[in-house]
Amino acid sequence: MKTAWMLLLVGPLALQGTPRDEYKTRLTALNKSTAAKHYAIGEYLSGATMYQWAREQYYKAIEFDPDHEGARKKLGFKKNDDGMWESDPAAKQEFGNKKKGEDLEKVRKQYVDRQDSAGKDLSRQWSDLAQFCRKNMLTAEGNAAFLKALEYDPANGTARKELGYEKDAKGVWMAKTERELRKEMKEGIARQSNGAPAAVTSDVETAMGIKTKKRESEHYIVESPHMNDAQLGLILQHGEHAYAMFHKLFGQTDLFRGGKYTLVVLKDKAQHDKYVDAFYKSAEAPRLKLLHDLRACGAFPRSEIYQETEPDALMHDLIIHMSVQSLLRLWVGEDYCWVLEGMAMHFTKLMKDSCMIHCIDLAGTSPKNKGKNYTDPNDWPVVCRVWVREGRDPDLTTILKRTNFGEFDGPDAVKSWSLVEFLLSQHRDKFVALLQMFKDGKDVEAALKETWGWTINDLDYRWKQYVKVAY
């Protein structure tokens, strides 16, 4: 009887399965629920003749539920005799977005409202699954579910706390590691080497017939005809710190490849003109004029700036800005202006709370900017928040595909900065993977798809969600 009684107890327990079995059952159900939400949004968009956006949602649906019949058919698939989905050449499909102007913006607003509503519901469901995983010691699965919850609703406080985020004094959620990193970026400058005097004669001295004081550190050389050792040393500390933090953030090792970045700080415009004439003799007339008009010129392995009445802080900004852009160029190439400028602005803002050097028109002097000045980094979060609230932010597709700084303006640069901050603070590992794909020659759309499964539209929506929470 005792044996029979024990069997009666064990039998029902065995039928319940393990926590991992229960997790798989719940995950399957949630994937289908998530797919259904995306499909419903796709149907709304298709009915509004926004077929490109609708297709993005249908593809999202089959990512979560590969056998979703409605989404498969809308994307031009049919089942073959083996029950497998295959392309159907006879399927009628619609492409592109048909709405324009005010009609497009009306649909966009309704689209965002539907995404917000579905996102909050899905975030709660993914968070519930994560809590189940945590209770049953399924740590990796729980973390993945919490991350999915944050993708759908960045304001999900439960997911933030469970993943180690904390609110700062301004109410912004930030991971402890990110908070510590930002503190290190701001406070670590003074701990860097200020270099040592260098006695060699430079080609700048030879070409210009002047005498400069020179100082060098492990990765930098600074020379100037008018600055003293203390001033040069402080520039070196800013450069070395930018170099160190960049390599730490992105897991790189000596992108300068044993070389040193030289910064030449000249005294005035007359010396700058002499420098340009000496080192850009073969430049065509339009470029030569532009170089004369600029305050600074060059890139790794040497840049030049003239000081005149500007404070030393301008030189500090320059060495940070140019270092970051040079390191990115050496790593991922020249073609991603939004990353190059956005990253440089991100570093100077975090390290110095400033943006005194920029490669595009932040100061509002171009007709396109209509007089709006974007040079104060303290304004950028407010600018982004107003843009998102009023639906006036620059078009992301245009920004991501630009390869020439001449096409950028202040609003483009500020949105680029915010994109970099969002991706670095919220998705650092995947952002590093994205940049590596850029190095391998993949375009933005392909890299986004492979890294996150996102379209450009997905990235734009998630950036807007971040702005609402962070700013």
Side-chain angles (χ1 to χ4, degrees), residues 79-98:
K79 276 192 174 180
N80 61 25
D81 293 339
D82 296 325
M84 305 295 291
W85 290 103
E86 63 180 20
S87 180
D88 181 6
K92 181 182 179 181
Q93 296 186 72
E94 299 281 1
F95 298 91
N97 291 329
K98 305 304 181 184

Side-chain angles (χ1 to χ4, degrees), residues 201-341:
T201 300
S202 71
D203 60 350
V204 173
E205 291 176 305
T206 302
M208 296 181 62
I210 60 174
K211 180 67 176 175
T212 65
K213 186 180 288 291
K214 293 165 286 292
R215 198 170 181 90
E216 66 179 318
S217 57
E218 185 177 1
H219 304 104
Y220 294 85
I221 300 171
V222 184
E223 65 176 304
S224 173
H226 67 283
M227 292 185 124
N228 59 39
D229 274 336
Q231 291 173 299
L232 298 179
L234 196 52
I235 294 173
L236 289 174
Q237 286 180 304
H238 282 79
E240 288 291 352
H241 194 49
Y243 176 95
M245 293 307 302
F246 186 95
H247 285 78
K248 180 174 182 176
L249 277 170
F250 299 112
Q252 300 298 306
T253 54
D254 192 20
L255 287 165
F256 286 171
R257 297 176 178 85
K260 292 192 177 185
Y261 193 149
T262 298
L263 175 63
V264 180
V265 183
L266 298 175
K267 185 177 182 180
D268 51 33
K269 179 71 163 60
Q271 287 187 346
H272 167 75
D273 288 338
K274 196 171 184 179
Y275 177 92
V276 170
D277 290 338
F279 289 99
Y280 293 90
K281 294 178 180 178
S282 61
E284 295 182 359
R287 181 165 183 254
L288 193 63
K289 181 182 184 306
L290 176 63
L291 290 169
H292 277 292
D293 291 342
L294 293 173
R295 174 171 292 279
C297 61
F300 183 85
R302 181 171 68 198
S303 295
E304 174 267 338
I305 188 170
Y306 70 92
Q307 187 172 24
E308 212 154 54
T309 60
E310 295 289 352
D312 287 3
L314 184 70
M315 315 303 123
H316 304 159
D317 261 40
L318 177 75
I319 197 73
I320 295 169
H321 192 104
M322 299 301 286
S323 293
V324 170
Q325 287 202 346
S326 294
L327 289 164
L328 263 175
R329 282 190 171 100
L330 291 168
W331 179 20
V332 306
E334 300 272 351
D335 295 335
Y336 307 93
C337 290
W338 69 276
V339 173
L340 291 169
E341 190 69 2

Side-chain angles (χ1 to χ4, degrees), residues 151-172:
E151 274 194 36
Y152 281 106
D153 181 11
N156 186 321
T158 299
R160 290 281 183 192
K161 290 176 182 176
E162 291 290 343
L163 290 171
Y165 287 80
E166 300 172 351
K167 273 190 177 182
D168 65 11
K170 296 180 180 179
V172 177

